């Protein structure tokens, strides 16, 4: 397939670099201020080198990507809340042109899922969004395969930054502020880690799972959210005395989305460590199912994007 990629952050760059290995061609690539377009296929290495050296991928304007020749739009711009713009408009524009859309941007399917699905219903194109939940973990594909009507609940560790912080606090007895600074130095946490540590990122992923489970109807406003800011080390010490640890758990159950620190037995599947993520489903016929893996990272998330592109080509 021919791909147009909006967003040249870690995920967008990785999709562009790996597309050829998956048998696809990049015809357009845009960052926040520029674009590079070639209907015969971009020289991706040259575009990415230009980005590294000058901060711009090309000389065209980003909006021109939507008018390029492509089969699938990869929407990898930053997640925004509320109206989910500009990502939402990018999705609708592509669908109105009867093109497919693959999302790494969580905003459109967390905040405007019903609108996105309505636009897809009127289009020859389709929308997929595996990369919005759990990075490389096939959380959405697994849920679709099980059949949402046969899954009663979903839960998991859905944010690698928060999990890294809680893991380090528990194993080393370090204070939150110290571990957060360490995570930022290692590139595990952003300079502004608010979305990760206040539970918003995990909640967005929980809302997306709720929308798939219940065929829409959920936004971030429906989620009850508690984060880990200023989480006390002694709470982890007390938990450890009884063979437990604490993880930031997102859960979709009984029509509700909740995110917050939860006690988890040390030997429980949900007690993943470091930046690992896990998604757990309670199923009608297969019992409890766990899938875990790397929940973030450019190449990891790009693998989920490109898996979706492959599904569209089936």
């Amino acid at each position: 397939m021919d791909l147009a990629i909006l967003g040249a952050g870690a995920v967008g760059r990785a999709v562009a670099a790996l597309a050829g290995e998956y048998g696809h061609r990049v015809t357009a690539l845009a960052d926040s201020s520029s674009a590079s377009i070639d209907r015969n296929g971009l020289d991706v290495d040259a575009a990415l080198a230009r980005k590294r050296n000058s901060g711009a991928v090309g000389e065209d304007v980003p909006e021109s990507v939507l008018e390029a020749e492509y089969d699938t739009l990869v929407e990898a711009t930053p997640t925004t809340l509320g109206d989910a713009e500009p990502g939402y408009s990018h999705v609708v524009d592509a669908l109105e042109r009867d093109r497919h859309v693959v999302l790494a941007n969580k905003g459109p399917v967390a905040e405007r899922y019903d609108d996105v699905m309505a636009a897809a219903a009127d289009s020859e194109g389709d929308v997929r969004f595996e990369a919005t939940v759990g990075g490389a973990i096939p959380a959405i594909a697994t849920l679709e395969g099980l059949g949402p009507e046969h899954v009663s609940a979903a839960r998991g560790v859905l944010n690698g930054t928060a999990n890294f912080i809680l893991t380090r606090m528990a194993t080393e007895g370090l204070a939150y502020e110290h571990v957060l600074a360490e995570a930022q130095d290692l590139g595990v946490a952003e300079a502004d880690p608010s979305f990760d540590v206040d539970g918003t990122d995990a909640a967005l992923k929980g809302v997306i799972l709720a929308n798939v489970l219940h065929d829409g109807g959920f936004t971030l406003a429906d989620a009850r959210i508690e984060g880990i800011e200023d989480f006390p080390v002694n709470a982890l010490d007390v938990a450890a005395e009884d063979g437990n640890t604490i993880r930031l758990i997102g859960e979709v159950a009984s029509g509700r989305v909740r995110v917050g620190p939860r006690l988890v037995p040390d030997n429980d599947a949900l007690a993943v460590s470091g930046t690992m993520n896990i998604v757990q489903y309670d199923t009608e016929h297969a019992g409890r199912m766990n899938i875990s893996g790397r929940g973030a990272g450019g190449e990891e998330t790009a693998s989920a994007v490109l898996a979706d592109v492959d599904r569209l080509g089936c």
Side-chain angles (χ1 to χ4, degrees):
M1 279 195 181
D2 286 349
L3 309 181
I5 304 170
L6 274 171
V11 175
R13 293 196 306 271
V15 172
L18 295 175
E21 293 185 26
Y22 285 73
H24 306 298
R25 182 173 65 170
V26 179
T27 57
L29 173 65
D31 57 24
S32 60
S33 62
S34 68
S36 182
I37 299 170
D38 188 336
R39 65 182 302 166
N40 296 313
L42 284 180
D43 182 337
V44 171
D45 289 340
L48 294 180
R50 191 181 305 119
K51 174 69 175 174
R52 288 193 298 271
N53 295 331
S54 70
V57 297
E59 298 180 353
D60 293 305
V61 297
E63 294 76 14
S64 62
V65 166
L66 294 167
E67 300 174 359
E69 295 291 329
Y70 66 90
D71 301 306
T72 299
L73 177 71
V74 175
E75 219 301 341
T77 64
T79 294
T80 54
L81 306 182
D83 62 7
E85 294 290 4
Y88 172 73
S89 289
H90 297 158
V91 172
V92 171
D93 187 290
L95 290 172
E96 288 178 344
R97 298 173 193 269
D98 291 324
R99 314 289 176 82
H100 299 304
V101 178
V102 172
L103 284 156
N105 179 350
K106 293 180 281 292
V109 281
E111 294 285 50
R112 303 187 69 172
Y113 183 89
D114 295 349
D115 294 334
V116 167
M117 292 303 117
D122 291 334
S123 173
E124 294 297 317
D126 198 2
V127 178
R128 298 205 60 87
F129 45 94
E130 185 66 72
T132 63
V133 179
I137 302 172
I140 303 299
T142 300
L143 182 52
E144 292 173 337
L146 291 167
E149 70 276 13
H150 300 301
V151 176
S152 59
R155 69 185 64 81
V157 173
L158 303 175
N159 184 273
T161 299
N163 206 53
F164 175 88
I165 291 171
L166 289 173
T167 300
R168 288 286 290 159
M169 288 176 66
T171 57
E172 303 297 331
L174 300 171
Y176 169 85
E177 293 82 1
H178 180 98
V179 178
L180 175 59
E182 178 185 44
Q184 290 170 321
D185 289 342
L186 293 171
V188 173
E190 301 288 345
D192 179 0
S194 302
F195 263 31
D196 297 316
V197 299
D198 71 7
T200 299
D201 179 71
L204 287 167
K205 295 168 184 176
V207 167
I208 293 167
L209 290 175
N211 278 324
V212 176
L213 274 169
H214 298 286
D215 195 24
F218 290 83
T219 70
L220 187 63
D222 298 306
R224 179 179 175 184
I225 309 169
E226 181 184 355
I228 64 165
E229 310 102 310
D230 305 317
F231 200 79
V233 175
N234 63 349
L236 289 155
D237 294 337
V238 171
E241 292 174 1
D242 294 323
N244 297 313
T245 189
I246 294 173
R247 292 290 180 261
L248 184 68
I249 303 295
E251 183 174 29
V252 182
S254 303
R256 296 184 296 175
V257 179
R258 297 178 295 176
V259 172
R262 303 283 186 268
L263 275 175
V264 176
D266 284 332
N267 60 356
D268 192 271
L270 293 174
V272 292
S273 61
T275 58
M276 294 293 282
N277 280 194
I278 184 169
V279 178
Q280 184 178 84
Y281 294 125
D282 290 345
T283 75
E284 181 181 3
H285 302 298
R288 181 163 288 176
M289 180 175 295
N290 301 302
I291 46 175
S292 63
R294 296 181 180 179
E299 290 193 353
E300 292 85 350
T301 306
S303 73
V305 168
L306 291 163
D308 267 348
V309 174
D310 286 345
R311 292 182 186 103
L312 290 168
C314 292

